[in-house]
């Protein structure tokens, strides 16, 4: 029998239900694999006891006939979700020893659905970054290597880089992610897995360490589209504790899965053809359109004229909100306190924030407070909000001629660690295709399309109408069936 760690969520669920193996066996194999893959630095905290306890509960539930949708499935949890009694760091020294007394709504829902937790996954500090290099716990190393015979360590993408690396390396069948401007989709693309961010408001933000509240969304990262549907279903739903939570029923996305796209129109946004994009990515994009056509969809060209302003608008709005959200880390209420000898209150604030925040977080706080300052608010923040409204309108107008959009997920394959960390602008440019749909709050997904000439995965992005995760998932399924992406990284660690 193949290793149980090669199985995804649906296969584990079905196997536990049918008695092919026990949940305990599944959890034990994953726990061992997590420990063996420590060189990837995917986990900040391992929680084998949590996964094993949930597995034992699942095996009991099977005997009692009370299996839940994710009974026996051990998952990884991005360390941005607060988990009661388990250290929750946001990959920051500020929360390095923070053990929350409460559970995030999303993780609570996953435990209620029967899932267990293998551990807390590494990420960019406070989810700010695209490469996982801003983590205070060291970067994650992608399990993928270029096929050039060299051993250059690559980024798994970010900010959900630990989640992506862990799923790609089969350390867990699926993991939670969060996506503010692409942090589920870009790492999914870089590591050859699938990842979906739902419509803003589908998943409660309660108990997730806040970055930019009007953009932050939780979502699912898994090896295939069906597993994404299953996991997202368990994570979603109304929560009175989050004022922006949508009070709508959660559709049965798994039951609605169909790769038949007849009657659907797929828009190809003209403005996503950026300069310097590798020819291979352009070719994959065309291939993706051909696959969707083959699945019955009609492919049309559309225009999203304000696309080129999305990145600058995002890098004003997100830091502005971050500067406000991160004001709470003052040495009094949460986490770190640095109180120099004889210091006053202001000195404590300054010392705590100087010691607790990394360079990228400080950069964002500086940008954010600057664009919100009295003298510059109108010139930057108000303008960015206007652009955000125009970008949302672009999408609304596009829905007149199509039902979903197809684009590349990122303008490059995974880059080497260290290659872009000295130049924040080069790093921010990697988010060019993921940020517009975040600003508009739309559901969007990345699915693997193939490998490039260096042997690295490339992703295709599907963007849907508000609340239409089903069409996004179905188009993802149609691509998945045709791309036949079965490659996986070797266990070199
Ligand atoms: N890379 C983007 C940023 O640095 C997106 C991060 C995210 O989605 N959390 O802000």
């Amino acid at each position: 029998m193949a290793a149980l760690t090669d199985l995804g969520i649906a296969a584990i669920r079905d196997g536990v239900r049918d008695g092919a193996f026990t949940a305990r066996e599944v959890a034990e194999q994953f726990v061992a694999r997590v420990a063996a893959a420590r060189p990837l630095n995917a986990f900040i905290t391992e929680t084998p006891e949590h996964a094993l306890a949930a597995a034992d509960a699942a095996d009991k539930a099977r005997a009692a006939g009370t299996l839940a949708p994710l009974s026996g499935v051990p998952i990884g949890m991005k360390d941005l979700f607060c988990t009661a009694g388990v250290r929750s760091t946001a990959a920051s020294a500020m929360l390095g020893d923070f053990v929350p007394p409460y559970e995030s709504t999303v993780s609570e829902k996953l435990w209620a659905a029967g899932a267990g937790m293998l551990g807390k996954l590494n990420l960019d500090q406070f989810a700010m970054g695209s490469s996982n290099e801003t983590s205070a716990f060291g970067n994650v190393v992608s399990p993928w290597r270029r096929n050039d015979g060299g051993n250059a360590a690559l980024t798994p993408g970010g900010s959900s880089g630990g989640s992506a690396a862990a799923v790609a390396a089969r350390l867990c069948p699926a993991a939670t992610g969060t996506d503010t401007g692409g942090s589920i989709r870009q790492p999914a693309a870089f590591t050859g897995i699938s990842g979906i961010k739902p419509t803003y408001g589908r998943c409660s933000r309660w108990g997730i360490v806040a970055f930019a509240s009007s953009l932050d969304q939780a979502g699912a990262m898994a090896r295939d589209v069906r597993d994404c549907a299953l996991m997202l279903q368990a994570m979603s739903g109304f929560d009175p504790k989050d004022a922006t939570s949508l009070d709508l029923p959660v559709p049965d996305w798994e039951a609605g899965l169909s790769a038949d796209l007849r009657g659907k129109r797929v828009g190809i946004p003209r403005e996503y053809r950026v300069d310097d994009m590798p020819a291979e990515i352009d070719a994959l994009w065309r291939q993706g359109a051909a696959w969707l056509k083959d699945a019955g969809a009609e492919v049309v060209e559309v225009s999203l004229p304000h696309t080129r302003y999305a990145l600058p608008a995002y890098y004003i709005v997100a830091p502005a909100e971050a500067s406000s959200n991160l004001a709470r880390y003052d040495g009094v209420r949460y986490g770190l306190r640095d109180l120099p000898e004889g210091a006053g209150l202001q000195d404590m604030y300054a010392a705590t924030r100087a010691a607790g925040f990394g360079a990228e977080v400080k950069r964002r706080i500086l940008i954010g407070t600057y664009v919100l300052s009295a003298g510059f608010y109108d010139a930057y923040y108000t303008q960015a909000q206007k652009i955000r409204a125009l970008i949302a309108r672009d999408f609304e107008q596009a829905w007149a001629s199509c039902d979903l959009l197809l684009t590349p997920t990122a303008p490059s394959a995974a880059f080497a660690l260290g290659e872009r960390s000295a130049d924040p602008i080069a790093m921010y440019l990697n988010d060019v295709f993921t940020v517009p749909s975040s600003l508009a709050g739309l559901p969007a997904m990345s699915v693997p399309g193939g490998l490039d000439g260096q042997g690295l995965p490339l992703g295709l992005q599907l963007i849907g109408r508000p609340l239409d995760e089903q069409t996004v998932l179905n188009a993802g399924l149609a691509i998945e069936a045709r791309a036949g992406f079965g490659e996986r990284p070797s266990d070199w660690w």
Side-chain angles (χ1 to χ4, degrees):
M1 192 169 74
L4 296 175
T5 49
D6 284 340
L7 303 179
I9 297 182
I12 293 172
R13 172 195 66 182
D14 296 351
V16 167
R17 182 195 59 211
D18 300 342
F21 40 77
T22 64
R24 178 89 196 181
E25 290 170 316
V26 174
E28 281 175 351
Q29 287 199 16
F30 276 110
V31 165
R33 201 164 159 81
V34 166
R38 285 190 193 131
L40 298 180
N41 201 28
F43 285 88
I44 291 176
T45 307
E46 294 173 20
T47 57
E49 63 296 339
H50 191 293
L52 293 169
D56 290 342
D59 288 330
K60 281 207 190 92
R62 177 175 186 266
T66 55
L67 284 172
L70 298 180
S71 285
V73 180
I75 59 161
M77 184 66 61
K78 184 175 183 179
D79 206 15
L80 200 63
F81 292 80
C82 287
T83 42
V86 177
R87 183 166 75 130
S88 302
T89 69
S92 171
M94 188 62 91
L95 294 173
D97 300 315
F98 177 57
V99 178
Y102 40 78
E103 189 76 38
S104 81
T105 297
V106 163
S107 52
E108 192 169 275
K109 280 179 178 292
L110 287 165
W111 314 148
M117 177 167 72
L118 288 158
K120 304 295 295 285
L121 291 156
N122 206 345
L123 65 148
D124 276 299
Q125 188 166 152
F126 285 103
M128 299 175 189
S130 309
S131 67
N132 228 289
E133 290 167 290
T134 72
S135 169
F137 292 82
N139 58 263
V140 176
V141 180
S142 174
W144 290 88
R145 294 252 161 117
R146 293 187 180 123
N147 59 9
D148 58 5
N151 284 334
L154 304 179
T155 174
S159 66
S160 311
S163 305
V167 173
R170 268 89 172 144
L171 312 187
C172 52
T176 56
T178 64
D179 193 310
T180 301
S183 279
I184 287 176
R185 293 161 283 161
Q186 181 255 24
F190 279 13
T191 56
I193 66 165
S194 298
I196 183 165
K197 157 199 121 65
T199 309
Y200 182 80
R202 276 278 195 211
C203 288
S204 169
R205 289 183 295 106
W206 197 83
I208 301 175
V209 175
F211 165 11
S213 306
S214 76
L215 295 154
D216 297 344
Q217 257 305 284
M221 303 173 77
R223 289 207 287 268
D224 63 24
V225 172
R226 175 172 302 269
D227 283 1
C228 282
L230 264 163
M231 176 136 165
L232 188 62
Q233 218 159 305
M235 295 167 67
S236 301
F238 176 61
D239 179 10
K241 290 188 285 198
D242 171 0
T244 59
S245 172
L246 292 169
D247 192 358
L248 292 169
V250 180
D252 187 342
W253 289 308
E254 190 195 12
L257 284 178
S258 158
D260 181 352
L261 300 183
R262 277 176 296 181
K264 296 288 181 195
R265 293 160 306 167
V266 179
I268 306 292
R270 182 179 308 143
E271 293 79 6
Y272 280 53
R273 235 169 262 289
V274 298
D275 296 342
D276 304 332
M277 190 162 75
E280 285 171 301
I281 293 183
D282 202 45
L284 176 67
W285 192 9
R286 283 172 217 279
Q287 177 65 68
W291 283 329
L292 294 177
K293 212 167 163 180
D294 185 56
E298 183 192 337
V299 176
V300 296
E301 185 161 307
V302 297
S303 175
L304 301 169
H306 297 92
T307 299
R308 68 197 186 95
Y309 304 112
L311 209 51
Y314 172 85
Y315 277 99
I316 289 172
V317 172
E321 294 186 20
S323 72
S324 166
N325 273 325
L326 271 57
R328 74 189 72 183
Y329 303 105
D330 56 4
V332 178
R333 287 168 291 186
Y334 298 88
L336 189 75
R337 169 178 301 171
D338 195 340
L339 184 58
E341 195 55 36
L345 185 64
Q346 293 296 337
D347 304 319
M348 182 190 71
Y349 292 158
T352 298
R353 291 168 69 81
F357 292 138
E360 181 62 24
V361 175
K362 287 176 186 160
R363 178 181 296 125
R364 306 253 181 146
I365 292 172
L366 287 172
I367 294 171
T369 45
Y370 178 80
V371 301
L372 291 175
S373 63
F376 297 101
Y377 188 95
D378 282 335
Y380 293 100
Y381 188 69
T382 307
Q383 288 294 93
Q385 292 290 31
K386 287 181 183 167
I387 290 170
R388 185 175 188 177
L390 290 172
I391 285 164
R393 202 180 62 185
D394 280 358
F395 283 108
E396 276 158 32
Q397 288 172 348
W399 303 135
S401 51
C402 65
D403 304 294
L404 77 157
L405 297 161
L406 174 74
T407 79
T409 307
S412 72
F415 44 90
L417 289 162
E419 197 177 298
R420 300 195 190 172
S421 41
D423 180 355
I425 305 283
M427 193 66 86
Y428 298 167
L429 285 172
N430 213 259
D431 303 331
V432 61
F433 298 142
T434 48
V435 150
S437 43
S438 292
L439 288 169
L442 301 172
M445 174 167 212
S446 179
V447 290
L451 297 181
D452 72 0
Q454 322 171 88
L456 298 181
L458 296 175
L460 285 168
Q461 178 178 227
L462 298 152
I463 304 170
R465 294 174 192 261
L467 303 175
D468 193 10
E469 286 81 5
Q470 190 72 64
T471 298
V472 169
L473 290 161
N474 288 355
L477 199 65
I479 290 178
E480 182 177 275
R482 287 164 180 80
F485 185 87
E487 291 83 358
R488 55 180 287 188
S490 66
D491 296 1
W492 52 262
W493 56 86

